[in-house]
Amino acid sequence: MRFIGNKENLLNNIHYTLDKRNIKGNSFFDFFSGTSNVARFFKKKGYKVCSSDLLYFSYCMQYAYIKNNSLPKFKKILPLIDTQQINLITSPLDLVLDFLNNIEPIKGFIYNNYSMGGTSALEKPRMYFSDENAQKIDSIRTQIEEWKSNKLLTKDEYFILLTSLIESISFYSNISGVYAAFQKKWDERALKKFTLRPIELVFNKENNEVFNVDSMTLINDIKTDILYLDPPYNERQYAPNYHILETIAKYDNPIVKGITGMRDYHDQKSSFCNKDMALQSLNNIAKNAKYKHLVLSYNSEGIMPSKKIIEVLSRYGNVELVEFEYLRFKSNNNGESKTKKHISEQLYILAKN
């Protein structure tokens, strides 16, 4: 899934860096979870994982990947759908996704607000999804919610289906990287027929926990061996960049405005998108959370200067900075030259006194 700051391609480097320094333990807290990639990685390593994020679509993913620890059985759904024609598909999840992939499209909120057909009356019709794919997303999302309302899904099953939908949408969206804007011409992939894809579930034997709150409110409740921070790096808030995923996850028919159909996000702003507040928040976490090691992922273009970060963290223990290069995220150029393709990832490691 395309997501600013996604650490998927850096996870082995991060783990190697920690392992080389014998930074281990039994518990891991992913403080700004996003797509939950980091939390998933450490869940696979056997840690008891906690994760948190202010965005609801992130919580859906956290619940499916981190909280859930069993294969979905869909005991109440399978008797209601025709599985007689399916021979090669075996898992209950595949059976349910196949059913959802074949239900009749409807013109719902996504079609009416994010397709050309649904917004044809606007001066600039929105081109996030083709008319056909928008209707398909509406029909799938409506069916999932109907099953939930009728108490036909367990909580695990509900979030697994939502996550399958959220993950699949990225492959058919007419965007460059984030949902803050749509492309003026159709991307080839956006014209392909929308198909739900199964997600890869991860299991361990721990009672993992997930939260959908401002992570800063959890500081006094945290007790973990490794506290991992991957906050926003610049002044752009994450909520407007992923507003459509948030709307699809909640499916709450919000009032949307502007060329891009933005939902209100006044209560989903991060203090780490403000230079002065970011350092204050970092200090608050480092000072008050209970942990053995704090690991901060940042990069060389972040709004918090490296010297200031080290100055703050050094108040609470020994700090080491490890850097390595990686490919810049396509939609995160910050006005820099288009020829600048790489960026330096910074890993600040604090061993608390």
Side-chain angles (χ1 to χ4, degrees):
M1 179 175 172
R2 291 171 291 168
F3 194 80
I4 291 176
N6 194 327
K7 294 297 180 291
E8 184 173 358
N9 295 326
L10 297 171
L11 283 169
N12 287 326
N13 281 336
I14 291 172
H15 182 254
Y16 173 79
T17 299
L18 299 182
D19 194 54
K20 187 177 180 181
R21 288 157 180 78
N22 201 32
I23 298 174
K24 301 177 182 178
N26 298 313
S27 54
F28 184 96
F29 201 117
D30 187 8
F31 201 65
F32 302 103
S33 196
T35 61
S36 78
N37 274 341
V38 175
R40 266 182 276 172
F41 182 90
F42 283 89
K43 181 181 179 180
K44 289 180 181 178
K45 298 295 181 182
Y47 283 82
K48 171 181 167 54
V49 176
C50 293
S51 63
S52 175
D53 202 282
L54 190 55
L55 295 175
Y56 181 71
F57 86 84
S58 170
Y59 175 74
C60 295
M61 300 178 75
Q62 293 173 61
Y63 205 101
Y65 287 124
I66 308 306
K67 179 67 175 177
N68 172 62
N69 248 337
S70 62
L71 287 169
K73 297 180 180 178
F74 297 105
K75 289 183 177 180
K76 294 182 179 181
I77 298 295
L78 291 182
L80 303 178
I81 63 179
D82 182 12
T83 60
Q84 299 300 314
Q85 304 299 319
I86 304 170
N87 298 316
L88 298 178
I89 300 174
T90 56
S91 79
L93 176 57
D94 284 333
L95 290 170
V96 173
L97 293 185
D98 184 81
F99 172 81
L100 290 172
N101 279 326
N102 288 285
I103 59 177
E104 287 297 316
I106 62 173
K107 293 180 179 179
F109 191 87
I110 301 305
Y111 171 81
N112 291 327
N113 290 279
Y114 300 110
S115 72
M116 284 194 72
T119 60
S120 58
L122 297 179
E123 183 179 344
K124 292 183 179 180
R126 298 180 188 128
M127 298 174 59
Y128 280 106
F129 304 106
S130 70
D131 289 1
E132 294 78 9
N133 286 344
Q135 292 177 61
K136 199 60 178 291
I137 292 169
D138 276 320
S139 64
I140 291 170
R141 186 62 186 87
T142 299
Q143 181 64 81
I144 293 172
E145 203 62 28
E146 182 180 313
W147 283 340
K148 179 193 176 189
S149 298
N150 292 330
K151 299 182 179 179
L152 298 175
L153 295 172
T154 66
K155 197 170 183 179
D156 287 345
E157 291 167 351
Y158 177 69
F159 284 115
I160 287 170
L161 291 180
L162 283 188
T163 299
S164 296
L165 178 59
I166 292 166
E167 290 263 22
S168 298
I169 283 169
S170 294
F171 295 100
Y172 304 93
S173 303
N174 192 41
I175 59 174
S176 297
V178 297
Y179 295 82
F182 51 82
Q183 298 198 68
K184 297 178 181 178
K185 296 182 179 180
W186 288 109
D187 187 301
E188 183 177 330
R189 66 184 167 191
L191 298 176
K192 294 179 180 179
K193 180 182 177 181
F194 182 84
T195 304
L196 274 175
R197 307 178 181 206
I199 61 173
E200 181 186 353
L201 298 172
V202 179
F203 311 119
N204 69 9
K205 298 180 180 179
E206 301 295 334
N207 182 25
N208 308 295
E209 299 181 70
V210 297
F211 302 92
N212 180 213
V213 296
D214 180 345
S215 299
M216 297 300 294
T217 64
L218 300 174
I219 292 173
N220 294 326
D221 300 320
I222 291 173
K223 187 175 182 180
T224 186
D225 293 326
I226 300 175
L227 176 58
Y228 178 78
L229 311 179
D230 183 19
Y233 301 152
N234 54 48
E235 295 177 348
R236 293 197 297 272
Q237 295 286 341
Y238 272 50
N241 280 332
Y242 300 97
H243 66 102
I244 292 181
L245 296 184
E246 191 74 354
T247 294
I248 291 172
K250 290 185 174 181
Y251 215 58
D252 53 354
N253 300 315
I255 296 173
V256 299
K257 299 178 181 179
I259 293 175
T260 61
M262 192 75 66
R263 65 182 289 134
D264 180 63
Y265 62 94
H266 75 277
D267 59 347
Q268 292 182 307
K269 294 182 178 180
S270 171
S271 59
F272 277 88
C273 292
N274 177 285
K275 182 178 179 180
D276 295 326
M277 292 178 64
L279 289 168
Q280 292 174 19
S281 294
L282 179 61
N283 182 73
N284 187 8
I285 297 169
K287 179 181 179 181
N288 295 306
K290 298 178 180 66
Y291 56 88
K292 294 179 180 178
H293 287 92
L294 183 152
V295 180
L296 169 67
S297 275
Y298 214 59
N299 71 37
S300 55
E301 295 180 341
I303 59 175
M304 292 191 296
S306 182
K307 289 183 179 179
K308 291 290 186 179
I309 292 175
I310 293 174
E311 178 184 319
V312 168
L313 296 181
S314 294
R315 298 168 187 166
Y316 308 104
N318 296 319
V319 180
E320 181 182 1
L321 171 59
V322 180
E323 297 185 275
F324 37 88
E325 280 195 346
Y326 71 100
L327 191 65
R328 177 201 293 276
F329 187 76
K330 185 177 180 181
S331 296
N332 196 30
N333 286 333
N334 294 336
E336 297 282 349
S337 169
K338 293 182 180 179
T339 60
K340 188 175 181 182
K341 296 182 179 180
H342 290 84
I343 195 169
S344 179
E345 175 74 9
Q346 300 173 331
L347 206 63
Y348 297 85
I349 303 171
L350 166 63
K352 196 170 187 181
N353 288 334

